[in-house]
Amino acid sequence: MSIATLNIPLHVKYIQNLGKSDDELMYHLTAHLRLNAVYWGLAALCVMGHKEALDRGEMIDFVMSCWDDEAGGFGAHPDHDAHLLSTCSAIQILVMQDALDRLDIPRVVNFIASLQQPSGVFAGDSFGEIDTRFLYCAVNSLSLLGQLDKMDVGKAVEYIRHCRNFDGGFGSRIGAESHAAQVFVCVGSLAILDRLDVCDADTLSWWLSERQMDSGGLNGRPQKLEDVCYSFWVLSALSILNKLEYIDSDKLISFILSAQDPEGGGIADRPGDMVDVFHTCFGTAGLSLVGYPGLEDLDPVYCMPAKLIEKMGLRKGWKALERRSG
Amino acid sequence: MTMGALKTHPKVYWIWNHRRWCLENIPSGPAPAGEEDANGWKQAAWQKDLFVVEQMLNKDPRNFHAWDYRRYILSQIPKPPLPKTELAYTKAKIVSNFSNFSAWHQRSKILLSLWSSGNLDESKSKENEFKLITDAMYTDPHDQSVWIYHRWLVGNNSTRKVLEREISVISDLLAEQPDSKWCLESLVHYKRMLINSYKDAVDAQALTDECHALLLQLSEIDPMRSRRYKDIMSQLNNHDV
Ligand SMILES: [Zn+2]
């Protein structure tokens, strides 16, 4: 079944209804991602030009209810321990809602900086799991707060350099296989830190272009299934490298559109599967980057509205495809 | 403990992390009866986990959490298996399925460490790798894992002799498989290397013309990436005038 257009009103409604879900089981299953989910919902609404569809005051109150006062960071849910993933989402939401005045900036900066390891990478929390995703969360958050000088940038860049593989991609830690999501976090961090020279741009753009499958969808590494969320991981890195033309955007657009749920709204990982807010966010984000008509520009480095990032003076040299006319 | 959870949710990363944390915190403890090694407990626990990971990789050979965890065990275990044992493990994985890029990836890392430590003669072992990869290429020329590994093996500082030999191996394969995108793509890559590194020793004009023809054919059989092929064409033009 092919669906020719993005059903914006239906997706907006889908996101609005997420907060009202009385499905107890799903509610508890996703508690460890709640704050991230609010960010995904808000980012998707911004891309679709309906930021106001979720109540600003309620959202800010929810974010602040996730503050872990002992640690000085945000948990994914009230009473959860602070983690770098949820702290990054909280800061992104507060920036998008122009509510940074609610934040104890020195404390949260201290929390983030304290998670940097001697190797340069960041741990997600005090349990010490390390991952280049956490490094990106730290770089993204500190940059939004204008506090990059509070981390050891040189060491972080060296860590990323050591994660680079011979295929041009990056893994989750030193020695790990290249994966498109890890490519996004490493390339995004390097872009924010103005150190894209660390990328082997030719090899990496080759590897990224080979993520596109015959269906038009993108996969995360060789010989794996295509998935809508890779539309963002692959496209963001390609647009930062200024090589977005290396994939067939028409075919990708039809793949993403075919993963919409035409009745309940939302976008799934691939056609026919259950929708969720994560894939709705990264599907619309991918559509925005390849110039799908009627969408707002998205900054691929921060995965936030481009206008906002530009106003903050943080825009880097990425290039998206020109917005098509309806 | 976490084993049941790992079987039902092999991709949930925090379960792996919890397991990692538990193992790191195993006390050294007394040596088991008949052994003098105070690391005995640790060795036994890590060994058991290595076995668990191997079972998981038998079921899902591309699970990168399991591969990551395997690398982690090998870096932490008090008495690690010999690197050549790990090399044999990757080979067994590869031979059972040439498309297992995770195993190729792991193999490249092990080889690099064996070469740099002097435990394996680099040039001899590279020749063996070329034999293995040629087999793989001929078995399934459509499998990109093989071609990515081949590109790594050739590297950036190959001799003219190796480049020309590999170009001829791939050209023979192309004759059998005239529409193989990966043959065409790789030929362009290695011919460009010849032009760039051995400009004065090769017929650069003829190679450039050959690349042009190959790129035109690529744009036709792989239109999704035609813009990339066009980019390479214009780089060829700028380079050689
Ligand atoms: Zn996905």
Side-chain angles (χ1 to χ4, degrees):
Chain A
M1 177 182 55
S2 89
I3 304 152
T5 56
L6 182 71
N7 195 332
I8 292 180
L10 196 61
H11 299 319
V12 171
K13 211 177 199 178
Y14 163 75
I15 293 171
Q16 283 176 318
N17 284 335
L18 281 172
K20 298 171 195 151
S21 167
D22 50 1
D23 185 337
E24 281 283 320
L25 179 67
M26 276 315 287
Y27 191 83
H28 287 293
L29 278 178
T30 58
H32 70 288
L33 288 172
R34 190 61 39 81
L35 195 48
N36 305 72
V38 173
Y39 157 73
W40 296 325
L42 179 60
L45 289 175
C46 288
V47 166
M48 293 187 285
H50 285 272
K51 182 183 164 191
E52 73 301 330
L54 289 176
D55 186 82
R56 176 177 180 270
E58 255 176 56
M59 188 181 296
I60 296 170
D61 287 345
F62 175 75
V63 170
M64 294 317 297
S65 74
C66 295
W67 176 253
D68 171 359
D69 197 48
E70 216 171 294
F74 290 89
H77 194 262
D79 301 324
H80 281 207
D81 290 338
H83 194 284
L84 206 39
L85 287 174
S86 34
T87 299
C88 179
S89 290
I91 293 170
Q92 288 177 300
I93 295 168
L94 293 176
V95 168
M96 286 194 265
Q97 296 289 18
D98 193 17
L100 274 184
D101 55 313
R102 298 284 301 270
L103 184 62
D104 186 340
I105 293 178
R107 280 206 74 196
V108 83
V109 167
N110 196 37
F111 168 73
I112 298 170
S114 75
L115 292 170
Q116 191 168 23
Q117 306 297 300
S119 64
V121 72
F122 281 73
D125 58 18
S126 53
F127 280 97
E129 186 200 9
I130 55 152
D131 192 313
T132 44
R133 284 184 309 154
F134 306 146
L135 193 161
Y136 170 78
C137 287
V139 168
N140 181 326
S141 307
L142 291 177
S143 156
L144 289 174
L145 299 174
Q147 309 266 345
L148 278 174
D149 58 318
K150 302 296 191 301
M151 63 173 274
D152 190 330
V153 168
K155 274 189 164 180
V157 170
E158 276 321 294
Y159 190 88
I160 297 176
R161 187 197 300 280
H162 284 110
C163 290
R164 194 180 70 199
N165 290 314
F166 64 82
D167 50 27
F170 297 87
S172 58
R173 58 190 68 143
I174 294 173
E177 183 183 346
S178 298
H179 183 288
Q182 309 296 150
V183 168
F184 158 69
V185 295
C186 290
V187 174
S189 301
L190 292 171
I192 293 174
L193 300 174
D194 297 315
R195 288 302 309 274
L196 283 172
D197 60 290
V198 169
C199 290
D200 175 353
D202 278 348
T203 310
L204 179 54
S205 51
W206 166 61
W207 187 84
L208 288 166
S209 72
E210 292 298 342
R211 297 304 106 240
Q212 189 162 35
M213 319 267 288
D214 290 338
S215 66
L218 308 171
N219 65 10
R221 43 193 184 125
Q223 250 80 24
K224 300 290 283 185
L225 284 179
E226 57 272 59
D227 179 328
V228 160
C229 63
Y230 292 112
S231 313
F232 179 73
W233 314 127
V234 173
L235 292 186
S236 59
L238 279 173
S239 61
I240 292 169
L241 298 173
N242 199 356
K243 296 283 187 255
L244 218 41
E245 304 81 15
Y246 280 14
I247 56 129
D248 185 328
S249 47
D250 287 338
K251 287 190 82 169
L252 177 64
I253 289 173
S254 9
F255 174 76
I256 299 174
L257 293 178
S258 68
Q260 298 179 96
D261 176 346
E263 276 133 44
I267 301 176
D269 58 355
R270 60 185 69 92
D273 283 358
M274 276 278 282
V275 300
D276 61 66
V277 66
F278 176 85
H279 290 95
T280 307
C281 172
F282 294 115
T284 51
L287 289 174
S288 171
L289 287 176
V290 291
Y292 188 83
L295 295 177
E296 294 292 319
D297 292 345
L298 179 87
D299 185 294
V301 174
Y302 291 89
C303 195
M304 287 165 66
K307 272 186 205 142
L308 176 62
I309 296 297
E310 185 142 19
K311 210 174 82 190
M312 294 172 77
L314 295 174
R315 195 199 193 282
K316 301 296 175 184
W318 53 270
K319 218 170 138 205
L321 296 186
E322 204 179 312
R323 180 94 28 232
R324 305 173 184 207
S325 48
Chain B
M1 51 168 189
T2 47
M3 192 51 198
L6 275 176
K7 269 192 178 141
T8 39
H9 305 284
K11 288 185 181 170
V12 177
Y13 72 89
W14 56 263
I15 307 177
W16 289 104
N17 193 45
H18 177 69
R19 200 170 176 89
R20 209 179 275 234
W21 184 85
C22 293
L23 279 167
E24 274 168 8
N25 289 283
I26 294 173
S28 292
E35 265 187 57
E36 281 164 36
D37 186 359
N39 275 327
W41 277 10
K42 276 190 177 173
Q43 180 74 20
W46 286 111
Q47 204 81 54
K48 203 174 132 209
D49 261 43
L50 200 54
F51 177 72
V52 170
V53 165
E54 278 170 23
Q55 280 184 313
M56 310 229 36
L57 288 175
N58 287 344
K59 260 205 203 157
D60 176 7
R62 296 295 305 283
N63 183 325
F64 65 81
H65 297 298
W67 279 104
D68 272 353
Y69 193 53
R70 181 179 181 85
R71 279 184 282 271
Y72 179 72
I73 295 172
L74 293 175
S75 74
Q76 296 289 320
I77 192 166
K79 283 185 275 179
L82 291 173
K84 286 185 186 177
T85 314
E86 183 63 6
L87 203 58
Y89 180 75
T90 60
K91 185 162 179 182
K93 284 275 162 232
I94 287 165
V95 171
S96 77
N97 177 10
F98 283 132
S99 298
N100 186 345
F101 186 74
S102 305
W104 289 111
H105 166 86
Q106 174 79 340
R107 189 168 180 82
S108 76
K109 299 283 175 195
I110 305 283
L111 281 171
L112 282 175
S113 82
L114 284 168
W115 293 343
S116 71
S117 67
N119 280 323
L120 200 63
D121 178 72
E122 181 172 345
S123 60
K124 245 195 240 159
S125 115
K126 265 197 176 168
E127 287 314 304
N128 288 332
E129 291 307 295
F130 273 119
K131 273 183 211 137
L132 177 65
I133 201 79
T134 305
D135 274 353
M137 256 179 217
Y138 273 80
T139 307
D140 185 2
H142 305 293
D143 179 354
Q144 59 177 296
S145 309
V146 173
W147 296 97
I148 297 174
Y149 188 79
H150 187 264
R151 194 168 287 200
W152 169 72
L153 203 54
V154 173
N156 292 321
N157 307 303
S158 244
T159 61
R160 192 181 141 199
K161 199 176 136 217
V162 167
L163 284 172
E164 285 175 342
R165 183 192 67 197
E166 292 309 304
I167 287 173
S168 125
V169 168
I170 300 168
S171 302
D172 290 348
L173 180 56
L174 182 65
E176 284 177 27
Q177 305 269 347
D179 277 340
S180 163
K181 164 192 156 166
W182 292 99
C183 285
L184 297 165
E185 156 80 37
S186 304
L187 284 174
V188 171
H189 185 71
Y190 299 129
K191 287 184 183 196
R192 283 175 74 207
M193 285 181 115
L194 269 184
I195 300 172
N196 293 333
S197 310
Y198 302 99
K199 202 174 172 65
D200 300 324
V202 298
D203 186 345
Q205 190 54 54
L207 285 168
T208 305
D209 293 345
E210 287 162 30
C211 286
H212 258 284
L214 293 164
L215 287 162
L216 281 176
Q217 202 182 337
L218 274 168
S219 313
E220 224 161 88
I221 62 173
D222 184 25
M224 286 197 293
R225 280 162 279 264
S226 59
R227 279 297 297 270
R228 183 170 165 265
Y229 303 129
K230 230 187 218 165
D231 260 16
I232 300 175
M233 254 192 246
S234 61
Q235 284 168 25
L236 274 173
N237 292 341
N238 295 336
H239 208 270
D240 284 299
V241 196

